[in-house]
Amino acid sequence: MMALRGKTRAAMRCFFLTQQQLRLPLPLTPSSAADISSISAPSSHRFFSFTCSSLFRHSPLFAPSNQAFSRPISFRELHSSPPSIRSFAARGLQTMPNSDSVTYLTQREAAEVDEILMGPLGFSVDQLMELAGLSVATAIAEVYKPSEYNRVLAICGPGNNGGDGLVAARHLFHFGYKPFICYPKRTPKPLYSGLVTQLESLSVPFLSVEDLPADLSKEFDIVVDAMFGFSFHGNYSIYCSLLISIVVIRTPAVVSVDIPSGWHVEEGDVNGGGMKPDMLVEVSLTAPKLGAKNFSGAHHFLGGRFVPPAIVDKYKLHLPPYPGTSMCVRIGKPAHIDISALRENYISPEFLEEQVAADPFVQFRRWFDEAVEAGLKEPNAMGLSTVGKDGKPSSRMVLLKGFDQDGFVWYTNYESQKAHQLSENPRASLLFYWDGLNRQVRVEGSVQKVSEEESEQYFHSRPRGSQIGAIVSKQSSVIPGRQVLYEEHKELQEKFSDGSVIPKPINWGGYRLRPELFEFWQGQQSRLHDRLQYTPEEVKGTRVWKIVRLAP
């Protein structure tokens, strides 16, 4: 890679020269940091000095003694903190009213909660670091797909925040990203040495500061800011240079871990000299920090998912529910998104004529089974499009309940809108979309009702609640409110509580679409998608399927 140059190199020279001239010790004190900003220097150097000055003055690491605290205490330090920290909780927790009613913690409140986590509840540093790094990687993967944002530079500081970055990089490697590590000041402790060894065993490159390009966007798609955190203290010089290079110079997407570097824990980016991340993933505390109220980036996540219910109840924490099995949850609403810019650059195996089955039913079975094996949600969900005699089309999602050489079967109310349209025009189109596999299948054909016997058999295979629901719902008709459905459903549940057979409604049953056309679609890069179409034709008195390729 190209050597560090331009503004970044000038900024580094300015910092080191200023420090040597003044013979300032590191870490800098608030007064000495303020002195730097008054030194006469070229404009670009003065900007750098001002930024570092504001960073030091407003970073909690250099908070004046008359502030509420002289140095933030990480939850990973709490096991060695004095018992007096417990008195901090008496002030109560601060909350920000919003749709999620999420609790925001001050530094002291967080310390009280985390002292308990690291003490009687038995959490260890390495355990929480692993959870934190996994949460960061999960949040990144949710927003930045590896097909579009593959090259990730993790800039890791010497503290626990840097450890989170190392763990995140390892997980990102296994998620399909290509991580790079810049770790200028390594921590000589077994935990951190082990993380470095793990990354080296994966052949993840470690880069020096001098190896980095001045314009990070030319070499990387994402920069993970795991530099300062809120408890870092020590030699700032190298990391200040990196911070300036990211703040001043155009960069790729920036993801800050726990708190953006240069921010005050409670007041945020006070003088504008801190990081301006696109994403903030708060992972080391039980709830967002007070300073995060000032975060204006597009993506704000809370991660970790380790807070015991006893802590939630004791401190009245209001935390958003985590979706499914995810290790992270979005806080608030994402920023306005330009819909025209939303796109996915699909990466899929080629779908070639010589690879497909001659029979489209066999090919559909192959793809359907792969969708099931991939664990996709409701792989039998399909869009059903119908058109009545008025020529107006309508579509809705239904569930496939069977398919074979005779066709595709689903069930519904025979008095619904789709049923009326099918009675007027017995033709339809089905569309299956399997997002996780970048695949679609479109099927067109004629439609007819299945036999009453077949409908009866399927109806009684359904859960009893669903059988009652089919009786209650007069599908597509106007009703006065949802309570009407609940009341009738409850009445029928009581009526059939003895386990007696629930009769199938006369106006309920199945349809079967007999295919006359299949199209199999496989997403590919640069919109050069694969589209193979099957249509039937007669060859020597035998019905066969003709396969043609369509332009994407």
Side-chain angles (χ1 to χ4, degrees):
M1 291 189 179
M2 56 197 302
L4 188 66
R5 66 176 187 273
K7 294 182 181 179
T8 308
R9 186 180 293 279
M12 290 182 67
R13 284 201 303 267
C14 174
F15 184 90
F16 290 126
L17 178 62
T18 301
Q19 183 203 347
Q20 291 170 1
Q21 287 177 332
L22 296 177
R23 289 182 170 83
L24 295 176
L26 288 171
L28 300 177
T29 64
S31 59
S32 62
D35 291 340
I36 294 178
S37 63
S38 64
I39 296 175
S40 176
S43 58
S44 61
H45 293 186
R46 282 200 300 272
F47 177 85
F48 175 76
S49 300
F50 168 78
T51 306
C52 280
S53 171
S54 64
L55 166 65
F56 293 150
R57 183 181 297 112
H58 296 287
S59 169
L61 312 181
F62 302 101
S65 58
N66 62 352
Q67 288 188 0
F69 49 88
S70 60
R71 185 181 66 78
I73 302 175
S74 165
F75 71 89
R76 290 154 178 163
E77 300 174 286
L78 282 172
H79 60 286
S80 59
S81 299
S84 60
I85 292 179
R86 291 189 177 90
S87 64
F88 296 166
R91 295 170 49 223
L93 300 174
Q94 298 190 32
T95 60
M96 181 179 72
N98 57 27
S99 58
D100 297 320
S101 300
V102 178
T103 302
Y104 282 73
L105 300 179
T106 65
Q107 175 65 28
R108 290 177 173 176
E109 292 160 348
E112 163 68 19
V113 173
D114 292 318
E115 182 183 15
I116 298 175
L117 287 173
M118 291 290 291
L121 293 182
F123 284 93
S124 61
V125 176
D126 56 342
Q127 182 184 24
L128 292 176
M129 189 175 290
E130 186 66 28
L131 288 169
L134 176 58
S135 299
V136 172
T138 302
I140 290 174
E142 182 169 322
V143 175
Y144 302 109
K145 303 303 180 185
S147 58
E148 295 282 347
Y149 299 83
N150 187 253
R151 304 164 301 172
V152 181
L153 172 64
I155 304 178
C156 301
N160 292 309
N161 194 260
D164 295 343
L166 295 173
V167 173
R170 169 162 48 79
H171 286 292
L172 288 171
F173 173 88
H174 292 296
F175 290 174
Y177 296 82
K178 187 177 182 180
F180 298 80
I181 308 295
C182 181
Y183 192 20
K185 302 289 288 185
R186 300 191 181 188
T187 303
K189 294 182 180 179
L191 171 59
Y192 299 88
S193 299
L195 294 175
V196 169
T197 300
Q198 293 163 20
L199 289 164
E200 290 176 338
S201 71
L202 298 174
S203 298
V204 173
F206 279 73
L207 308 176
S208 67
V209 173
E210 290 73 22
D211 290 331
L212 298 179
D215 184 353
L216 296 178
S217 64
K218 291 183 177 180
E219 301 283 351
F220 307 106
D221 305 307
I222 300 173
V223 170
V224 176
D225 161 31
M227 289 188 280
F228 296 159
F230 66 87
S231 63
F232 173 75
H233 59 285
N235 190 326
Y236 259 92
S237 58
I238 294 177
Y239 295 99
C240 261
S241 302
L242 290 169
L243 175 60
I244 297 305
S245 71
I246 295 173
V247 172
V248 177
I249 303 173
R250 183 173 63 88
T251 62
V254 176
V255 177
S256 286
V257 177
D258 205 35
I259 187 169
S261 292
W263 281 36
H264 188 285
V265 178
E266 296 187 0
E267 299 177 25
D269 188 12
V270 181
N271 273 0
M275 193 71 75
K276 306 294 191 298
D278 304 280
M279 174 189 286
L280 175 61
V281 186
E282 302 194 65
V283 290
S284 70
L285 296 181
T286 55
K289 301 169 192 63
L290 201 56
K293 285 186 177 182
N294 300 310
F295 174 69
S296 59
H299 311 287
H300 190 182
F301 284 86
L302 179 66
R305 199 173 192 169
F306 60 84
V307 185
I311 293 291
V312 175
D313 295 339
K314 181 174 181 179
Y315 294 97
K316 297 181 173 57
L317 297 179
H318 298 285
L319 304 176
Y322 284 79
T325 58
S326 178
M327 290 298 298
C328 61
V329 58
R330 185 182 288 274
I331 299 175
K333 304 295 183 183
H336 173 72
I337 295 176
D338 179 4
I339 296 178
S340 67
L342 292 177
R343 59 179 54 85
E344 181 76 18
N345 191 23
Y346 301 103
I347 299 178
S348 312
E350 289 183 324
F351 185 53
L352 304 177
E353 288 84 341
E354 57 267 26
Q355 298 172 343
V356 302
D359 186 332
F361 290 95
V362 174
Q363 183 62 40
F364 181 86
R365 167 60 74 180
R366 184 181 299 170
W367 273 22
F368 184 83
D369 289 346
E370 290 174 359
V372 172
E373 292 168 4
L376 303 186
K377 185 178 181 180
E378 292 193 323
N380 60 328
M382 60 185 186
L384 168 64
S385 298
T386 54
V387 180
K389 63 181 181 181
D390 58 3
K392 296 180 180 180
S394 62
S395 300
R396 76 287 291 162
M397 299 300 296
V398 298
L399 295 178
L400 176 70
K401 289 303 176 180
F403 71 91
D404 53 25
Q405 291 289 333
D406 290 330
F408 293 74
V409 176
W410 70 94
Y411 292 86
T412 187
N413 189 302
Y414 286 151
E415 295 178 356
S416 63
Q417 180 190 25
K418 55 183 169 292
H420 284 302
Q421 289 183 323
L422 287 172
S423 68
E424 296 172 352
N425 178 15
R427 302 188 62 80
S429 175
L430 307 177
L431 178 63
F432 296 85
Y433 176 57
W434 297 310
D435 176 61
L437 298 175
N438 301 333
R439 289 173 175 173
Q440 298 181 57
V441 179
R442 188 165 59 88
V443 187
E444 297 178 1
S446 60
V447 179
Q448 62 185 38
K449 292 180 180 179
V450 303
S451 67
E452 183 67 15
E453 180 183 2
E454 191 173 346
S455 293
E456 191 81 35
Q457 183 178 358
Y458 172 72
F459 179 83
H460 292 295
S461 72
R462 308 175 83 202
R464 290 178 67 84
S466 297
Q467 294 180 39
I468 292 175
I471 300 174
V472 170
S473 176
K474 310 301 187 289
Q475 198 174 102
S476 300
S477 63
V478 177
I479 58 175
R482 188 170 182 81
Q483 191 60 32
V484 175
L485 299 176
Y486 284 140
E487 291 174 355
E488 188 173 349
H489 194 276
K490 184 178 180 180
E491 291 177 3
L492 290 176
Q493 279 185 318
E494 294 174 355
K495 177 180 179 180
F496 296 107
S497 61
D498 58 356
S500 58
V501 175
I502 301 173
K504 181 186 78 67
I506 298 176
N507 63 346
W508 190 95
Y511 285 100
R512 176 177 284 104
L513 182 144
R514 297 186 180 276
E516 298 170 3
L517 179 148
F518 285 82
E519 182 187 324
F520 293 85
W521 180 97
Q522 177 80 66
Q524 298 293 355
Q525 295 188 59
S526 302
R527 296 297 183 265
L528 301 180
H529 311 309
D530 291 314
R531 296 177 62 191
L532 297 185
Q533 179 181 278
Y534 290 72
T535 52
E537 63 179 7
E538 294 287 331
V539 177
K540 297 180 179 180
T542 303
R543 189 175 191 247
V544 297
W545 291 90
K546 179 182 178 181
I547 304 174
V548 297
R549 177 173 290 270
L550 304 178

